Amino acid sequence: MTEQTAHPSPAASGSATNGAIVLDQVGKTYGSGEGAVEAIRSISLTFAQGQSVAIVGPSGCGKSTLMRMIAGLDDLTAGSIRIGDRQVTGPVRDIGVVFQRDLLLDWRSVLDNVLLPAEIRGMDMAAASKRAMALLEELDVAGFAKHYPWQLSGGMRQRVAIARALLPSPHLMFLDEPFSALDAMTRDQMNVLLQQIQAAEHVTTLLITHSILEAVFVADRVLVMSGRPGAILDDITVDFPRPRKLELRETPAFTAIVGRIREQFVKTGDLVG
Amino acid sequence: MKAGSIPASQSATGRAAPGLAARARRHFAVLFPPLLSAVIGLGLWEGVVRWLEMPSFVLPPPSSVVFVMIEYWGYLVSQLAWTVMAAAVGVLIGISLGIIAGAGIAMSGIIDRMLTPWLVIIHAIPKVVVAPLFLIWFGFGVQSEIFFVVTFTFFPVVVATITGLKSADPEVLLLVRSMGADRGQVLRKILFPSAMPTILSGVKLSVSLAPVGAVIGEFVASNQGLGHLLIRAVGDMDTALAFAAVTLFSIFGVLLWRAAEFVEGKLLPWHPSQRGDLASNRK
Ligand SMILES: Nc1ncnc2c1ncn2[C@@H]1O[C@H](COP(=O)(O)OP(=O)(O)OP(=O)(O)O)[C@@H](O)[C@H]1O
Ligand SMILES: [Mg+2]
């Protein structure tokens, strides 16, 4: 039951995952023979530590697949991935993951949901509880710590999911379309909140989204992926100062970047949902 | 669920405001129809039996069933207690074995392939038919009876446990894997809690089957319990006593079911079937 026995891979057993993420000609094909689906073709990339990267691309282009592979949750069929000086061969412990569905456990209170990673890793529970409450405070749901997930709204639930991902203070946070199920106003709030918390926690962030606005607003760098098989079409640096306010989205500089990304999809005939 | 609960609770408070009389009237409206129906049914039964002058050993009137029940109360209760004891011991063993076997089958492909064919075959055997064999194998006495209850109550729990453990959300499993959970942690923190509602529905079914199993066991292999009492009463043509035993048995069955639902509600306060007004209104 010690942490090391579960997934005896170099990346998994490391306590901290400092350093850049390096993808070297990464490819992924699901199945084989007739029914094989090539999801991703030869992607090479480097994410600097502390960077906030967003990935946009048409549905089914392999964004989730790419994220799962970097997190060590899915095997590669070509190339390799390194985080710092460690090869990724199994689940990487130092990542907090947030999915489109919040995946809160119905039978646990909000606080106990946030504490789940602490229980699994055998962390000091008193310290973990303190940190959980601080995170819930930061995410503005501390008043609901004793409530159950079904008593919360969709936006609140997703904030709890983010708190859970951040509890062990990971160096990396991966978010796969975390706000897709939320209404436009809540989503705007969450965007502001996300870049606040990202700055506060100094966490390298990988955000997958269908919203170009969201990508440009939250990230330092936006990667544009092509339709299947997924490859990188464009790699755009976004260097608006932080903290960013929603008004930023009305500025010409912002609109120009959004326009540039949209053009990529028009060119290739892919529409972003 | 939510939409249904709001008008329901509003109307409840809205109507309670005028006074207690309204509430009493509503209780009465709920209780009156079944009570009336019971009185009419029992009255007809009593009337027909008397009018046709039926011999009591063919069909006793309800009044004599009640008299017998009062007269033999102590004896009936002691026999019921015996049956309940045997059923309880048997069902506890059956549930435990069921959960262990179900967990093994759900978690391990090898155990699945080795155990499942046996279970399918044994389950297909009509247990009531082979009940007399238990007499040969385990002898006359409570052990046969308990074993019979075990075979009755084991299968619903196995099936429910397997279904429950296999129905956990795959994305949740991916999530806890990303947190570095080992197999034991996945089982304890995710699989079992999310399987609980399904396992408990199997347990409920088993609990309701247990007294039936015990009584059948007593038919063949016991000189105690309601089942034995029933056999003897019928042998003596004391049909009123048999009816009294059956009545007591039915009342016990209803109470048992209620108790199981109560325990379920205590164990699963978070489950959609247990929360919200709509669910409680339906009961
Ligand atoms: N487990 C799997 N088995 C087989 N094929 C898969 C599997 N998972 C994904 N695929 C295929 O790989 C491709 C990429 O899937 P992926 O989920 O990564 O896309 P995505 O970019 O995240 O799409 P979306 O934006 O709709 O979430 C899809 O065409 C899909 O059919
Ligand atoms: Mg996806």
Side-chain angles (χ1 to χ4, degrees), chain A residues 73 101 107 119-121 150, chain B residues 169 171 185 189 193 275:
Chain A
L73 297 172
R101 283 164 53 225
W107 55 90
E119 284 175 27
I120 286 178
R121 287 169 202 202
W150 48 274
Chain B
D169 186 334
E171 249 190 315
Q185 287 175 322
K189 297 195 186 294
R275 64 196 196 212

Side-chain angles (χ1 to χ4, degrees), chain B residues 129-192:
Chain B
V129 176
V130 296
L133 287 178
F134 284 63
L135 194 58
I136 298 174
W137 295 333
F138 301 102
F140 191 85
V142 74
Q143 68 281 2
S144 269
E145 189 184 339
I146 288 174
F147 200 87
F148 196 68
V149 175
V150 172
T151 61
F152 243 63
T153 55
F154 172 73
F155 288 98
V157 179
V158 175
V159 174
T161 305
I162 296 172
T163 315
L165 289 177
K166 286 193 170 172
S167 61
D169 186 334
E171 249 190 315
V172 169
L173 297 178
L174 194 69
L175 180 81
V176 293
R177 210 153 67 83
S178 82
M179 293 176 184
D182 59 44
R183 278 171 70 88
Q185 287 175 322
V186 171
L187 188 65
R188 269 179 292 123
K189 297 195 186 294
I190 308 296
L191 294 180
F192 259 118

Side-chain angles (χ1 to χ4, degrees), chain A residues 28-31 35-40 55-68 74 100 176-177 208-210 225-226 228-230:
Chain A
K28 174 77 179 181
T29 304
Y30 285 105
V37 175
E38 189 182 14
I40 285 178
I55 300 181
V56 291
S59 188
C61 73
K63 302 183 295 293
S64 301
T65 303
L66 186 67
M67 194 193 90
R68 280 201 303 271
D74 213 338
Q100 177 172 358
D176 189 353
E177 299 182 30
I208 292 172
T209 176
H210 277 150
M225 276 178 80
S226 68
R228 212 180 56 223

Side-chain angles (χ1 to χ4, degrees), chain B residues 256-267:
Chain B
L256 194 62
W257 184 259
R258 281 299 162 98
E261 283 195 329
F262 177 77
V263 171
E264 188 184 27
K266 286 280 168 234
L267 286 177

